[in-house]
Amino acid sequence: MLVRDAMSTVVLTIGPTHTLRQAAALMSARRVGAAVVHDPDAGGIGILTERDILNSVGLGEDPDTEHAHDHTTTDVVFAAPSWTLEEAARAMAHGGFRHLIVLDHDEPVGIVSVRDIIRCWAPVRQHVPA
């Protein structure tokens, strides 16, 4: 199975000046665990995850004054839609992260998460009548 078969095509893109609270609200509303941060001035694409927000709040930082650009990972490993799920899982395990931005012709077209991969690999739960 390929990344294109498992990825979420709901790509939340935010700007670098979004506060962490704004980012968290948007992520929550769309039920996603990561946002693509597009910063044309910094020259690229980064990722902000729920873990980044949690770490900031855990350190006592104010989510209303902290901005996405200060918590964005910019040294990003990108996946291609044609990668196998094994390749994506290997990249995640090697890098110690749970989300990969999927690029097609240098444009984000999706995000694949550990959860997406597990959904593809694990058998579907079936309700068994009591």
Side-chain angles (χ1 to χ4, degrees):
M1 187 170 275
L2 302 178
V3 165
R4 75 170 48 91
D5 303 317
M7 71 183 189
S8 170
T9 56
V10 176
V11 180
L12 172 61
T13 302
I14 64 172
T17 59
H18 275 81
T19 67
L20 293 187
R21 183 175 309 279
Q22 290 169 326
L26 291 167
M27 290 164 65
S28 177
R30 287 170 179 76
R31 300 176 48 93
V32 297
V36 171
V37 181
H38 179 65
D39 189 351
D41 294 333
I45 297 171
I47 189 167
L48 179 74
T49 68
E50 57 197 356
R51 176 77 42 119
D52 298 321
I53 296 169
L54 180 66
N55 287 340
S56 175
V57 171
L59 290 171
E61 297 174 337
D62 184 350
D64 291 314
T65 60
E66 290 295 312
H67 292 99
H69 67 85
D70 292 321
H71 301 277
T72 297
T73 299
T74 55
D75 185 20
V76 179
V77 174
F78 298 102
S82 59
W83 279 19
T84 65
L85 293 186
E86 289 82 5
E87 288 173 301
R90 195 173 312 116
M92 289 177 186
H94 179 74
F97 42 79
R98 299 179 296 158
H99 298 86
L100 286 169
I101 299 171
V102 182
L103 292 184
D104 192 12
H105 299 96
D106 295 326
E107 291 295 321
V109 294
I111 293 185
V112 65
S113 69
V114 170
R115 183 177 294 167
D116 296 326
I117 293 171
I118 290 171
R119 280 188 191 127
C120 291
W121 286 349
V124 176
R125 283 181 157 180
Q126 294 183 358
H127 177 68
V128 179

